[in-house]
Coordinates of all heavy atoms in Angstrom, one line a residue:
M262 N 0.8 -1.2 0.0 CA 0.0 0.0 0.0 C 0.9 1.3 0.0 O 1.9 1.3 0.7 CB -0.8 0.1 1.3 CG -2.1 -0.6 1.3 SD -3.2 -0.3 2.7 CE -2.7 -1.6 3.7
T263 N 0.4 2.2 -0.7 CA 1.1 3.5 -0.7 C 0.1 4.7 -0.4 O 0.6 5.8 0.0 CB 1.7 3.9 -2.1 OG1 0.8 3.8 -3.1 CG2 2.9 2.9 -2.4
D264 N -1.2 4.4 -0.4 CA -2.2 5.4 -0.1 C -2.2 5.7 1.3 O -2.5 4.8 2.2 CB -3.6 4.9 -0.6 CG -4.7 5.9 -0.4 OD1 -5.2 5.9 0.7 OD2 -5.0 6.7 -1.3
H265 N -2.0 6.9 1.7 CA -1.9 7.3 3.1 C -3.1 7.0 3.8 O -3.1 6.6 5.1 CB -1.6 8.8 3.2 CG -0.2 9.2 2.7 ND1 0.4 10.4 2.8 CD2 0.7 8.4 2.0 CE1 1.6 10.4 2.2 NE2 1.8 9.2 1.7
D266 N -4.3 7.3 3.3 CA -5.6 7.0 4.0 C -5.7 5.5 4.3 O -6.1 5.1 5.4 CB -6.8 7.5 3.3 CG -6.8 9.1 3.2 OD1 -6.3 9.7 4.0 OD2 -7.3 9.6 2.2
Q267 N -5.4 4.7 3.3 CA -5.6 3.2 3.5 C -4.5 2.7 4.6 O -4.9 1.9 5.4 CB -5.3 2.5 2.2 CG -6.4 2.6 1.3 CD -6.1 2.0 -0.1 OE1 -5.0 1.6 -0.4 NE2 -7.1 1.6 -0.8
I268 N -3.3 3.3 4.6 CA -2.3 2.9 5.5 C -2.7 3.3 6.9 O -2.7 2.5 7.9 CB -0.9 3.5 5.2 CG1 -0.4 2.9 3.9 CG2 0.0 3.3 6.3 CD1 0.8 3.6 3.3
R269 N -3.2 4.5 7.1 CA -3.6 5.0 8.4 C -4.8 4.1 8.9 O -4.7 3.7 10.1 CB -4.1 6.5 8.3 CG -4.4 7.0 9.6 CD -4.7 8.5 9.5 NE -5.1 9.0 10.8 CZ -5.1 10.3 11.2 NH1 -4.8 11.2 10.2 NH2 -5.5 10.6 12.3
E270 N -5.7 3.9 8.1 CA -6.9 3.0 8.5 C -6.4 1.6 8.8 O -6.8 1.1 9.9 CB -7.8 2.9 7.3 CG -9.0 2.1 7.6 CD -10.0 2.0 6.4 OE1 -10.1 2.9 5.6 OE2 -10.7 0.9 6.4
W271 N -5.4 1.0 8.1 CA -4.9 -0.3 8.4 C -4.3 -0.3 9.8 O -4.5 -1.2 10.6 CB -4.0 -0.8 7.3 CG -3.6 -2.2 7.4 CD1 -4.2 -3.3 6.8 CD2 -2.5 -2.8 8.1 NE1 -3.5 -4.5 7.1 CE2 -2.5 -4.1 7.9 CE3 -1.5 -2.2 8.9 CZ2 -1.6 -5.0 8.5 CZ3 -0.6 -3.0 9.5 CH2 -0.6 -4.4 9.3
I272 N -3.4 0.7 10.0 CA -2.7 0.7 11.3 C -3.6 1.0 12.5 O -3.6 0.3 13.5 CB -1.6 1.8 11.3 CG1 -0.5 1.4 10.3 CG2 -1.1 2.1 12.7 CD1 0.5 2.5 9.9
E273 N -4.5 2.0 12.3 CA -5.4 2.2 13.5 C -6.4 1.1 13.8 O -6.8 0.8 14.9 CB -6.2 3.5 13.1 CG -5.3 4.8 13.2 CD -6.0 6.1 12.9 OE1 -7.1 6.1 12.2 OE2 -5.5 7.1 13.3
K274 N -6.8 0.4 12.8 CA -7.8 -0.7 12.9 C -7.1 -1.8 13.8 O -7.8 -2.5 14.5 CB -8.1 -1.4 11.6 CG -9.1 -2.6 11.7 CD -9.5 -3.1 10.3 CE -10.5 -4.2 10.4 NZ -10.8 -4.7 9.1
R275 N -5.8 -1.8 13.8 CA -5.1 -2.8 14.7 C -4.6 -2.2 16.0 O -3.8 -2.8 16.7 CB -3.9 -3.4 13.8 CG -4.4 -4.3 12.8 CD -3.5 -4.3 11.5 NE -4.1 -5.2 10.6 CZ -5.1 -5.0 9.8 NH1 -5.7 -3.8 9.8 NH2 -5.6 -5.9 8.9
G276 N -5.0 -1.0 16.3 CA -4.6 -0.4 17.6 C -3.3 0.3 17.5 O -2.7 0.6 18.6
G277 N -2.7 0.5 16.3 CA -1.4 1.0 16.3 C -1.3 2.5 16.1 O -2.4 3.2 15.8
S278 N -0.2 3.1 16.3 CA 0.0 4.6 16.0 C 1.4 4.8 15.4 O 2.2 4.0 15.5 CB -0.1 5.3 17.3 OG 0.9 4.8 18.2
P279 N 1.5 5.9 14.7 CA 2.7 6.2 14.0 C 3.9 6.5 14.9 O 3.7 7.1 15.9 CB 2.4 7.4 13.1 CG 1.3 8.1 13.9 CD 0.6 7.0 14.6
A280 N 5.1 5.9 14.6 CA 6.2 6.1 15.4 C 7.5 5.9 14.7 O 7.5 5.4 13.5 CB 6.2 5.1 16.6
T281 N 8.6 6.3 15.3 CA 9.9 6.0 14.7 C 10.7 5.3 15.8 O 10.4 5.4 17.0 CB 10.7 7.2 14.4 OG1 10.8 8.2 15.4 CG2 10.0 8.0 13.2
A282 N 11.7 4.6 15.4 CA 12.7 3.9 16.4 C 14.1 4.2 16.0 O 14.4 4.4 14.8 CB 12.5 2.4 16.3
G283 N 15.0 4.3 17.0 CA 16.3 4.6 16.8 C 16.8 5.8 17.7 O 16.0 6.3 18.5
A284 N 17.9 6.2 17.5 CA 18.5 7.2 18.4 C 18.5 8.5 17.7 O 19.4 8.9 16.9 CB 19.9 6.8 18.8
P285 N 17.5 9.4 17.9 CA 17.5 10.7 17.5 C 18.8 11.5 17.8 O 19.2 11.4 19.0 CB 16.3 11.4 17.9 CG 15.5 10.4 18.7 CD 16.4 9.2 18.8
G286 N 19.3 12.2 16.9 CA 20.5 13.0 17.2 C 21.8 12.2 17.1 O 22.9 12.8 17.3
S287 N 21.8 10.9 16.8 CA 23.0 10.1 16.6 C 23.6 10.2 15.3 O 24.6 9.6 15.0 CB 22.6 8.6 17.0 OG 21.9 8.1 16.0
G288 N 22.9 10.9 14.4 CA 23.4 11.0 13.0 C 22.8 9.8 12.1 O 22.9 9.9 10.9
E289 N 22.2 8.9 12.7 CA 21.6 7.8 12.0 C 20.1 8.1 11.7 O 19.5 8.7 12.6 CB 21.7 6.4 12.7 CG 23.1 6.0 12.9 CD 23.2 4.6 13.7 OE1 22.1 3.8 13.5 OE2 24.2 4.3 14.3
S290 N 19.6 7.7 10.6 CA 18.2 8.0 10.4 C 17.3 7.0 11.2 O 17.7 5.9 11.4 CB 17.8 7.9 9.0 OG 18.1 6.6 8.5
S291 N 16.2 7.6 11.7 CA 15.3 6.7 12.5 C 14.6 5.8 11.5 O 14.2 6.1 10.4 CB 14.3 7.6 13.2 OG 14.9 8.4 14.1
L292 N 14.1 4.6 12.1 CA 13.4 3.7 11.3 C 11.9 4.0 11.5 O 11.4 4.3 12.7 CB 13.6 2.3 11.9 CG 15.1 1.7 11.6 CD1 15.1 0.4 12.3 CD2 15.3 1.6 10.2
L293 N 11.2 3.9 10.4 CA 9.7 4.0 10.5 C 9.1 2.8 11.2 O 9.4 1.6 10.8 CB 9.1 4.3 9.2 CG 7.8 5.0 9.0 CD1 7.7 6.3 9.8 CD2 7.5 5.1 7.6
V294 N 8.3 2.9 12.2 CA 7.6 1.8 12.9 C 6.3 2.1 13.2 O 5.7 3.2 13.1 CB 8.4 1.3 14.1 CG1 9.8 0.9 13.8 CG2 8.4 2.5 15.1
V295 N 5.5 1.0 13.6 CA 4.1 1.2 14.1 C 4.2 0.9 15.6 O 4.8 -0.2 15.9 CB 3.2 0.3 13.4 CG1 1.8 0.3 14.0 CG2 3.1 0.7 11.9
H296 N 3.7 1.6 16.5 CA 3.7 1.4 17.9 C 2.4 0.8 18.3 O 1.4 1.4 18.0 CB 3.9 2.6 18.6 CG 3.8 2.4 20.2 ND1 4.7 1.7 20.9 CD2 2.8 2.9 21.1 CE1 4.3 1.7 22.2 NE2 3.2 2.4 22.2
Y297 N 2.4 -0.3 19.0 CA 1.2 -1.0 19.6 C 1.4 -0.9 21.1 O 2.3 -1.4 21.6 CB 1.1 -2.4 19.1 CG 0.8 -2.6 17.6 CD1 1.8 -3.0 16.8 CD2 -0.3 -2.3 17.1 CE1 1.6 -3.1 15.4 CE2 -0.6 -2.4 15.7 CZ 0.4 -2.8 14.9 OH 0.2 -3.0 13.5
P298 N 0.4 -0.2 21.7 CA 0.6 0.0 23.2 C 0.5 -1.3 24.0 O 1.1 -1.3 25.1 CB -0.6 0.9 23.6 CG -1.5 1.0 22.4 CD -0.8 0.4 21.2
D299 N 0.1 -2.4 23.5 CA 0.1 -3.6 24.2 C 1.4 -4.5 24.0 O 1.4 -5.6 24.4 CB -1.2 -4.5 23.8 CG -1.2 -4.8 22.4 OD1 -0.4 -4.3 21.6 OD2 -2.1 -5.7 22.0
T300 N 2.4 -3.8 23.5 CA 3.7 -4.5 23.3 C 4.7 -3.9 24.3 O 4.4 -2.8 24.8 CB 4.2 -4.4 21.9 OG1 4.4 -3.1 21.5 CG2 3.2 -5.0 20.9
S301 N 5.9 -4.6 24.3 CA 6.8 -4.1 25.3 C 8.0 -3.2 24.6 O 9.1 -3.1 25.1 CB 7.5 -5.3 26.0 OG 8.1 -6.1 25.1
E302 N 7.6 -2.6 23.4 CA 8.6 -1.8 22.7 C 9.0 -0.6 23.6 O 8.1 0.1 24.2 CB 8.0 -1.2 21.5 CG 7.6 -2.3 20.4 CD 6.7 -1.8 19.4 OE1 6.0 -0.8 19.5 OE2 6.8 -2.4 18.3
T303 N 10.3 -0.3 23.7 CA 10.8 0.7 24.6 C 11.5 1.8 23.9 O 11.5 2.9 24.3 CB 11.7 0.2 25.7 OG1 12.8 -0.4 25.0 CG2 11.0 -0.7 26.6
D304 N 12.1 1.5 22.7 CA 12.8 2.5 21.9 C 12.0 3.1 20.8 O 12.5 3.1 19.7 CB 14.1 1.8 21.4 CG 15.1 2.8 20.8 OD1 15.0 4.0 21.2 OD2 15.8 2.4 19.9
V305 N 10.8 3.5 21.1 CA 10.0 4.1 20.0 C 9.6 5.5 20.4 O 9.4 5.8 21.7 CB 8.7 3.3 19.6 CG1 9.1 1.9 19.1 CG2 7.8 3.2 20.8
Q306 N 9.4 6.4 19.5 CA 8.9 7.7 19.7 C 7.7 7.9 18.8 O 7.9 7.9 17.6 CB 10.0 8.8 19.4 CG 9.6 10.2 19.6 CD 10.7 11.1 19.3 OE1 11.9 10.8 19.0 NE2 10.3 12.5 19.2
Q307 N 6.6 8.2 19.4 CA 5.4 8.4 18.6 C 5.5 9.8 17.9 O 6.1 10.7 18.4 CB 4.2 8.4 19.5 CG 3.9 7.1 20.1 CD 2.5 6.9 20.6 OE1 1.7 7.7 20.5 NE2 2.3 5.8 21.4
V308 N 5.1 9.8 16.7 CA 5.2 11.0 15.9 C 3.7 11.3 15.2 O 2.9 10.4 15.3 CB 6.1 10.7 14.6 CG1 7.6 10.6 15.2 CG2 5.8 9.6 13.7
S309 N 3.6 12.4 14.7 CA 2.3 12.8 14.1 C 2.2 12.0 12.7 O 3.2 11.5 12.2 CB 2.2 14.3 13.7 OG 3.1 14.6 12.7
W310 N 0.9 11.8 12.3 CA 0.7 11.2 11.0 C 1.4 12.0 9.9 O 1.9 11.4 9.0 CB -0.8 11.1 10.7 CG -1.4 9.9 11.4 CD1 -2.3 10.0 12.5 CD2 -1.2 8.6 11.2 NE1 -2.6 8.8 12.9 CE2 -2.0 7.8 12.2 CE3 -0.4 7.8 10.3 CZ2 -2.0 6.4 12.2 CZ3 -0.4 6.4 10.4 CH2 -1.2 5.7 11.3
D311 N 1.5 13.3 10.0 CA 2.2 14.1 8.9 C 3.7 13.8 8.9 O 4.2 13.5 7.8 CB 2.0 15.6 9.2 CG 0.6 16.1 8.8 OD1 -0.1 15.4 8.0 OD2 0.2 17.2 9.3
D312 N 4.3 13.7 10.0 CA 5.7 13.3 10.2 C 5.9 11.9 9.7 O 6.9 11.6 8.9 CB 6.2 13.5 11.5 CG 6.5 14.9 11.9 OD1 6.4 15.8 11.0 OD2 6.5 15.1 13.2
F313 N 5.0 11.0 10.0 CA 5.1 9.6 9.6 C 5.2 9.5 8.1 O 6.0 8.9 7.5 CB 3.9 8.8 10.2 CG 3.9 7.3 9.9 CD1 4.6 6.5 10.6 CD2 3.2 6.9 8.9 CE1 4.5 5.1 10.4 CE2 3.1 5.5 8.5 CZ 3.7 4.6 9.4
F314 N 4.2 10.1 7.5 CA 4.1 10.0 6.0 C 5.1 10.8 5.3 O 5.6 10.5 4.2 CB 2.7 10.4 5.6 CG 1.6 9.4 5.9 CD1 0.6 9.6 6.7 CD2 1.8 8.1 5.4 CE1 -0.4 8.7 7.0 CE2 0.9 7.1 5.7 CZ -0.2 7.4 6.5
R315 N 5.6 11.9 5.9 CA 6.8 12.6 5.4 C 8.0 11.6 5.3 O 8.7 11.6 4.3 CB 7.1 13.9 6.2 CG 7.8 14.9 5.4 CD 8.0 16.3 6.2 NE 7.4 16.4 7.5 CZ 6.2 16.9 7.8 NH1 5.4 17.3 6.9 NH2 5.8 17.0 9.1
H316 N 8.3 11.0 6.4 CA 9.3 9.9 6.5 C 9.0 8.8 5.4 O 9.9 8.4 4.7 CB 9.2 9.3 7.9 CG 10.5 9.2 8.5 ND1 11.2 10.3 9.0 CD2 11.3 8.1 8.9 CE1 12.3 9.9 9.7 NE2 12.4 8.6 9.5
F317 N 7.8 8.3 5.3 CA 7.4 7.3 4.5 C 7.7 7.7 2.9 O 8.3 6.9 2.3 CB 5.9 7.0 4.6 CG 5.3 6.0 3.8 CD1 5.4 4.6 4.2 CD2 4.6 6.2 2.6 CE1 4.9 3.6 3.4 CE2 4.0 5.2 1.8 CZ 4.2 3.9 2.3
E318 N 7.3 8.9 2.6 CA 7.6 9.4 1.2 C 9.1 9.7 1.0 O 9.6 9.3 -0.1 CB 6.7 10.5 1.0 CG 5.2 10.3 0.9 CD 4.8 9.2 -0.2 OE1 5.5 9.1 -1.2 OE2 3.8 8.6 0.0
S319 N 9.7 10.2 1.9 CA 11.2 10.6 1.7 C 12.0 9.3 1.5 O 13.0 9.4 0.9 CB 11.7 11.4 2.8 OG 11.8 10.7 4.0
Q320 N 11.6 8.3 2.2 CA 12.3 6.9 2.1 C 11.8 6.1 0.9 O 12.3 5.0 0.7 CB 12.2 6.2 3.3 CG 13.0 6.9 4.5 CD 13.0 6.1 5.8 OE1 12.8 4.9 5.8 NE2 13.2 6.8 6.9
N321 N 10.7 6.7 0.2 CA 10.1 5.9 -0.9 C 9.7 4.5 -0.6 O 10.1 3.5 -1.2 CB 11.1 5.9 -2.2 CG 10.3 5.8 -3.4 OD1 9.2 6.2 -3.6 ND2 11.0 5.2 -4.4
L322 N 8.8 4.4 0.5 CA 8.5 3.1 1.0 C 7.0 2.7 0.5 O 6.3 3.5 0.0 CB 8.5 3.1 2.5 CG 9.8 3.4 3.2 CD1 9.6 3.5 4.6 CD2 10.8 2.3 2.8
V323 N 6.8 1.4 0.7 CA 5.5 0.9 0.5 C 5.2 -0.1 1.7 O 6.1 -0.6 2.3 CB 5.3 0.1 -0.8 CG1 6.3 -1.1 -0.9 CG2 3.9 -0.4 -1.1
L324 N 3.9 -0.1 2.1 CA 3.6 -0.9 3.2 C 3.0 -2.3 2.6 O 2.0 -2.3 1.9 CB 2.5 -0.4 4.1 CG 1.9 -1.2 5.2 CD1 2.9 -1.4 6.3 CD2 0.6 -0.6 5.8
V325 N 3.7 -3.4 3.0 CA 3.3 -4.7 2.6 C 2.6 -5.4 3.8 O 3.4 -5.5 4.8 CB 4.5 -5.6 2.0 CG1 4.0 -6.8 1.6 CG2 5.1 -4.9 0.8
C326 N 1.4 -5.7 3.7 CA 0.7 -6.2 4.9 C -0.1 -7.5 4.5 O -0.5 -7.6 3.4 CB -0.1 -5.2 5.5 SG -1.3 -4.4 4.3
A327 N -0.5 -8.1 5.6 CA -1.4 -9.3 5.4 C -2.8 -8.8 5.3 O -3.2 -7.8 5.9 CB -1.3 -10.2 6.7
R328 N -3.6 -9.4 4.5 CA -5.0 -9.1 4.4 C -5.8 -9.7 5.5 O -5.5 -10.8 6.0 CB -5.6 -9.5 3.0 CG -4.9 -8.9 1.8 CD -5.7 -9.2 0.6 NE -5.1 -8.5 -0.6 CZ -5.5 -7.4 -1.1 NH1 -6.4 -6.8 -0.5 NH2 -4.9 -6.9 -2.1
D329 N -6.9 -9.1 5.8 CA -7.8 -9.7 6.8 C -8.4 -11.0 6.3 O -8.6 -11.0 5.0 CB -8.9 -8.8 7.2 CG -8.4 -7.6 8.1 OD1 -7.3 -7.7 8.7 OD2 -9.1 -6.5 8.1
T330 N -8.5 -11.9 7.1 CA -9.1 -13.2 6.7 C -10.5 -13.3 7.4 O -10.8 -13.1 8.6 CB -8.2 -14.4 7.2 OG1 -6.9 -14.2 6.7 CG2 -8.8 -15.7 6.7
E331 N -11.5 -13.6 6.5 CA -12.8 -13.8 7.0 C -12.9 -14.8 8.0 O -12.3 -15.9 8.0 CB -13.7 -14.2 5.8 CG -15.2 -13.9 6.1 CD -16.0 -14.2 4.9 OE1 -15.6 -13.7 3.7 OE2 -17.1 -14.7 4.9
G332 N -13.7 -14.5 9.0 CA -13.9 -15.5 10.2 C -12.9 -15.3 11.3 O -13.0 -15.9 12.3
I333 N -11.9 -14.5 11.2 CA -10.8 -14.3 12.1 C -11.2 -13.0 12.9 O -11.3 -11.9 12.3 CB -9.4 -14.2 11.5 CG1 -9.0 -15.5 10.7 CG2 -8.3 -13.9 12.7 CD1 -8.9 -16.7 11.5
E334 N -11.3 -13.1 14.2 CA -11.7 -11.9 15.0 C -10.7 -10.9 15.1 O -10.9 -9.7 14.9 CB -12.1 -12.4 16.4 CG -13.4 -13.1 16.4 CD -13.9 -13.5 17.8 OE1 -13.6 -12.7 18.7 OE2 -14.6 -14.5 18.0
E335 N -9.4 -11.3 15.3 CA -8.2 -10.3 15.5 C -7.6 -10.0 14.1 O -7.2 -11.0 13.5 CB -7.2 -10.9 16.4 CG -7.6 -10.9 17.9 CD -7.8 -9.5 18.5 OE1 -6.9 -8.6 18.2 OE2 -8.7 -9.3 19.2
P336 N -7.6 -8.8 13.8 CA -6.9 -8.4 12.5 C -5.4 -8.8 12.6 O -4.7 -8.6 13.6 CB -7.1 -7.0 12.3 CG -8.0 -6.5 13.4 CD -8.1 -7.6 14.4
N337 N -4.9 -9.3 11.4 CA -3.5 -9.6 11.4 C -2.6 -8.3 11.4 O -2.9 -7.5 10.7 CB -3.2 -10.4 10.1 CG -1.9 -11.1 10.1 OD1 -0.9 -10.5 10.6 ND2 -1.8 -12.3 9.5
R338 N -1.5 -8.4 12.2 CA -0.6 -7.2 12.3 C 0.6 -7.4 11.5 O 1.5 -6.5 11.6 CB -0.2 -7.0 13.8 CG -1.3 -6.4 14.7 CD -0.8 -6.2 16.1 NE -1.8 -5.5 17.0 CZ -1.5 -5.3 18.2 NH1 -0.4 -5.6 18.8 NH2 -2.4 -4.8 19.0
D339 N 0.7 -8.5 10.8 CA 2.0 -8.7 10.1 C 2.1 -7.7 8.9 O 1.3 -7.5 8.1 CB 2.0 -10.1 9.5 CG 2.1 -11.2 10.5 OD1 2.5 -10.9 11.7 OD2 1.8 -12.3 10.3
F340 N 3.3 -7.0 8.9 CA 3.5 -6.0 7.8 C 5.0 -5.8 7.8 O 5.8 -6.2 8.6 CB 2.8 -4.7 8.1 CG 3.5 -3.9 9.2 CD1 4.4 -2.9 8.8 CD2 3.3 -4.1 10.5 CE1 5.1 -2.2 9.8 CE2 3.9 -3.4 11.5 CZ 4.8 -2.3 11.1
E341 N 5.5 -5.1 6.6 CA 6.8 -4.6 6.6 C 6.8 -3.4 5.7 O 6.0 -3.3 4.8 CB 7.9 -5.6 6.2 CG 7.7 -6.2 4.8 CD 8.7 -7.2 4.5 OE1 9.9 -7.0 4.7 OE2 8.3 -8.3 4.0
F342 N 7.7 -2.5 5.9 CA 7.9 -1.4 5.0 C 9.1 -1.8 4.1 O 10.2 -2.2 4.6 CB 8.4 -0.2 5.8 CG 7.3 0.4 6.7 CD1 7.4 0.4 8.0 CD2 6.1 1.0 6.1 CE1 6.4 0.9 8.8 CE2 5.2 1.5 6.9 CZ 5.3 1.5 8.3
V343 N 8.9 -1.7 2.8 CA 9.9 -2.1 1.8 C 10.1 -0.9 0.8 O 9.2 -0.2 0.6 CB 9.6 -3.5 1.1 CG1 9.6 -4.6 2.1 CG2 8.2 -3.3 0.4
P344 N 11.2 -0.9 0.2 CA 11.4 0.2 -0.9 C 10.4 -0.1 -2.1 O 10.2 -1.2 -2.4 CB 12.9 0.0 -1.3 CG 13.5 -0.8 -0.2 CD 12.4 -1.6 0.4
R345 N 10.0 1.0 -2.7 CA 9.1 0.8 -3.9 C 9.9 0.3 -5.1 O 11.1 0.6 -5.2 CB 8.4 2.1 -4.2 CG 7.5 2.6 -3.2 CD 6.8 3.8 -3.6 NE 6.2 4.4 -2.4 CZ 5.6 5.6 -2.3 NH1 5.5 6.3 -3.4 NH2 5.1 6.1 -1.2

């Protein structure tokens, strides 16, 4: 997926929020991630959707994700960001 509205809907449907991971100020670029509050991730910084998509576009990424399966109550959270 590359459509921002679809990506935001997919992430929010799973209880996620936009975030980055890595050491800001270290000279290394932060990784784009999705933060789920029910996980034990500690090295994430929540960002605005605008910042998230600015990062997404500047890195020329696409979201590859699992489709929902009929009859499954919990939506699948499997995804990865890959270069276009």
Side-chain angles (χ1 to χ4, degrees):
M262 271 189 268
T263 57
D264 181 272
H265 293 189
D266 292 332
Q267 288 178 338
I268 293 169
R269 182 176 181 163
E270 180 181 333
W271 189 92
I272 291 170
E273 288 179 341
K274 181 177 181 181
R275 287 150 180 80
S278 59
T281 57
S287 68
E289 295 182 28
S290 62
S291 298
L292 296 175
L293 199 58
V294 297
V295 175
H296 172 68
Y297 295 105
D299 61 349
T300 62
S301 60
E302 299 167 332
T303 58
D304 187 27
V305 297
Q306 178 179 354
Q307 292 193 14
V308 296
S309 70
W310 281 110
D311 286 340
D312 287 343
F313 181 86
F314 287 120
R315 206 172 357 265
H316 229 69
F317 183 82
E318 293 301 332
S319 72
Q320 294 180 24
N321 202 31
L322 299 174
V323 61
L324 174 73
V325 177
C326 58
R328 294 190 182 268
D329 289 338
T330 305
E331 194 172 319
I333 303 292
E334 289 183 30
E335 288 293 317
N337 192 323
R338 289 182 174 177
D339 293 340
F340 77 95
E341 65 181 312
F342 294 114
V343 296
R345 292 183 198 174

